[in-house]
Amino acid sequence: MSFKVAVRSFKTLSYVGSYKKIRDRPLKFYFAAFLGSGYAWYSQHKQNKAEMKEIIQLKNYMAEPITPIAHLEKTQDDMKTQMELLIMRIQAEFCRALEKEEDEESKFKVDRWTRNEGGGGITCVLQDGRVFEKAGVNISVVSGTLPPAAIQQMKSRGKNLENKELPFFAAGVSAVIHPRNPMVPTIHFNYRYFEVTDKNGVQWWFGGGTDLTPYYLNEDDAMHFHLTLKHACDAHDHSYYSKFKKWCDDYFTITHRGERRGVGGIFFDDMDYPDQQNAFKFVTSCAEAVIPSYLPLVKKHKDDAYGYYERQWQLLRRGRYVEFNLIYDRGTKFGLHTPEARYESILMSLPLNAKWEYMNVPKPNSPEEKLMKVLKEPRDWLHLEETTSQPKRAAA
């Protein structure tokens, strides 16, 4: 391939300027032209390779894609196809990364399911492991007609949907990891793409986020987690991290208790800007940031010592997790309102064990109280507000 490109470059040179000028050039000119054309091919090859990241990799996925392979091959420029291939890859990479932290016999159970109205999903669950008490990594690729409850939910967010019958397509990956050791935080992430067709055409948008729920506060862990997400955001827009960090703090709030679910992360919805491809690239970066944001924390703490007291606190905090997911989480509500909903997959985010204790109040100055203070008042983990609020020094 590179030889052909080089040949074309030499042919082009023979028509630029006069033959005499080119003929009189020293040999090193031609050698430089050859190297230049080779570098141009190499650069183009790297760019093409990057653009073709989401290709069909059947042997690497957890199961066969939901959409027939022949259709995926014919529609590789369609965003529905690109998103399905992305979530298939992210699911497989994350599951295998988690399995490496487990004992050899602990593997994900893979459950591929379909729904009559259209599409299906792949649910991967690891239970009762030494490191992960319950780890669920689910993808869904579904289509059909939006139910009234889902339409009302979208209209309440400002969506202008005019038809009564609204065909839709949704594809997303969602994961919740509940570790056994209370010193390892829980992580949740979800990245999704949505299309709705009404009389005005197709409306599309992306949504998602990644957030961390520790049982015991480790400030270094929180800073590492947020910094990794900030790097993913900054590669696309330097305003994204601060905006989506605040959105995350506001969204993951257990309103009736006046506390956040965890130490936050990023969250966004209804992203239809700046354009479809750039929005997709941003979502890709965020999804690829999950492993480097979380796995170092697992490796660091999975063998930490803990006792009965720490375990009971972990179970209490998991109860709070359940409260948020069942009462406030929009994705859970949408799933439960969708016809032929697969409840086992929708509720995979719930922990294997949880606890509700009447009027539990942490002891003053305890590690548990330290966590609660952060949950009541979200923190600027990367000190960005301090940096931007500092007055500029006058020029000398």
Side-chain angles (χ1 to χ4, degrees):
M1 182 71 175
S2 58
F3 177 74
K4 291 181 179 179
V5 174
V7 169
R8 285 199 298 269
S9 299
F10 279 118
K11 287 181 179 179
T12 303
L13 286 172
S14 66
Y15 293 100
V16 179
S18 67
Y19 171 77
K20 183 176 183 302
K21 287 183 179 179
I22 296 176
R23 183 193 62 190
D24 294 339
R25 296 282 178 91
L27 182 62
K28 63 181 181 181
F29 170 82
Y30 297 100
F31 182 68
F34 182 81
L35 289 179
S37 61
Y39 177 76
W41 170 82
Y42 177 69
S43 298
Q44 185 64 42
H45 173 70
K46 285 184 68 178
Q47 182 179 346
N48 292 343
K49 187 176 181 181
E51 292 174 351
M52 290 298 292
K53 182 185 292 184
E54 308 310 340
I55 59 175
I56 298 176
Q57 311 171 48
L58 293 179
K59 65 178 182 180
N60 295 327
Y61 299 145
M62 301 302 288
E64 186 175 313
I66 301 304
T67 303
I69 297 169
H71 181 77
L72 293 175
E73 290 175 338
K74 293 177 181 178
T75 59
Q76 292 194 32
D77 292 332
D78 191 318
M79 184 51 66
K80 295 190 289 294
T81 295
Q82 293 181 50
M83 190 65 185
E84 181 170 356
L85 296 180
L86 170 65
I87 62 178
M88 292 287 294
R89 175 172 66 84
I90 294 298
Q91 180 189 49
E93 290 175 355
F94 192 50
C95 286
R96 294 199 170 96
L98 295 177
E99 285 181 343
K100 288 181 180 178
E101 302 305 317
E102 268 290 0
D103 293 339
E104 189 174 346
E105 64 274 11
S106 295
K107 301 293 181 184
F108 276 91
K109 175 183 178 181
V110 180
D111 181 16
R112 186 182 185 278
W113 49 273
T114 57
R115 57 194 291 273
N116 293 330
E117 190 173 357
I122 302 167
T123 299
C124 297
V125 176
L126 188 156
Q127 289 186 159
D128 280 324
R130 183 182 68 84
V131 178
F132 304 111
E133 191 167 333
K134 185 180 179 186
V137 188
N138 184 48
I139 70 159
S140 59
V141 180
V142 297
S143 58
T145 302
L146 280 178
I151 296 173
Q152 186 57 42
Q153 187 186 89
M154 291 176 182
K155 286 184 175 181
S156 69
R157 305 203 318 267
K159 294 295 180 185
N160 184 20
L161 303 171
E162 299 190 25
N163 290 30
K164 290 184 178 180
E165 295 290 323
L166 293 170
F168 81 96
F169 169 89
V173 57
S174 179
V176 178
I177 311 303
H178 293 293
R180 187 172 296 278
N181 192 316
M183 304 305 161
V184 181
T186 281
I187 190 175
H188 157 261
F189 74 89
N190 169 264
Y191 292 100
R192 56 192 178 274
Y193 173 71
F194 215 95
E195 282 188 5
V196 179
T197 304
D198 66 2
K199 68 178 185 180
N200 298 316
V202 175
Q203 295 189 45
W204 60 266
W205 63 89
F206 292 90
T210 307
D211 64 284
L212 196 70
T213 304
Y215 307 100
Y216 285 91
L217 184 64
N218 184 299
E219 296 188 6
D220 289 341
D221 291 352
M223 290 176 65
H224 164 83
F225 181 78
H226 278 269
L227 186 60
T228 307
L229 298 184
K230 184 178 186 299
H231 286 328
C233 291
D234 286 353
H236 300 270
D237 190 311
H238 284 274
S239 72
Y240 280 176
Y241 170 76
S242 296
K243 179 168 61 176
F244 297 154
K245 190 264 185 190
K246 183 182 184 307
W247 199 339
C248 184
D249 288 335
D250 293 342
Y251 177 76
F252 289 104
T253 299
I254 308 172
T255 307
H256 61 276
R257 293 190 182 274
E259 63 189 49
R260 271 65 181 181
R261 189 173 75 176
V263 296
I266 57 172
F267 177 81
F268 58 92
D269 208 351
D270 302 321
M271 176 179 271
D272 54 5
Y273 52 86
D275 56 67
Q276 194 175 59
Q277 275 300 324
N278 279 301
F280 174 70
K281 289 177 182 178
F282 170 65
V283 167
T284 300
S285 294
C286 292
E288 290 176 343
V290 170
I291 290 177
S293 74
Y294 184 60
L295 263 294
L297 310 186
V298 176
K299 294 174 183 290
K300 180 179 176 182
H301 296 295
K302 68 178 183 179
D303 295 319
D304 285 0
Y306 68 93
Y308 176 82
Y309 186 81
E310 290 78 16
R311 171 64 171 171
Q312 297 309 302
W313 174 251
Q314 180 193 47
L315 295 177
L316 282 168
R317 294 311 309 167
R318 284 183 178 172
R320 300 288 202 271
Y321 205 96
V322 172
E323 289 178 22
F324 176 85
N325 279 28
L326 294 184
I327 298 174
Y328 301 110
D329 186 69
R330 213 155 59 208
T332 301
K333 289 181 179 180
F334 175 82
L336 295 176
H337 289 151
T338 302
E340 299 180 42
R342 196 168 190 277
Y343 306 115
E344 289 291 336
S345 297
I346 296 168
L347 299 177
M348 73 164 194
S349 62
L350 303 183
L352 196 59
N353 297 288
K355 180 179 178 179
W356 287 265
E357 184 179 300
Y358 185 72
M359 297 294 289
N360 178 274
V361 179
K363 295 178 181 179
N365 302 317
S366 66
E368 292 77 20
E369 186 187 54
K370 181 182 178 182
L371 174 69
M372 291 305 301
K373 287 181 178 179
V374 172
L375 301 184
K376 296 285 186 180
E377 298 180 11
R379 190 179 298 181
D380 173 17
W381 293 103
L382 304 181
H383 308 291
L384 298 179
E385 294 177 6
E386 296 175 13
T387 303
T388 56
S389 63
Q390 287 179 353
K392 294 182 180 179
R393 293 183 179 179

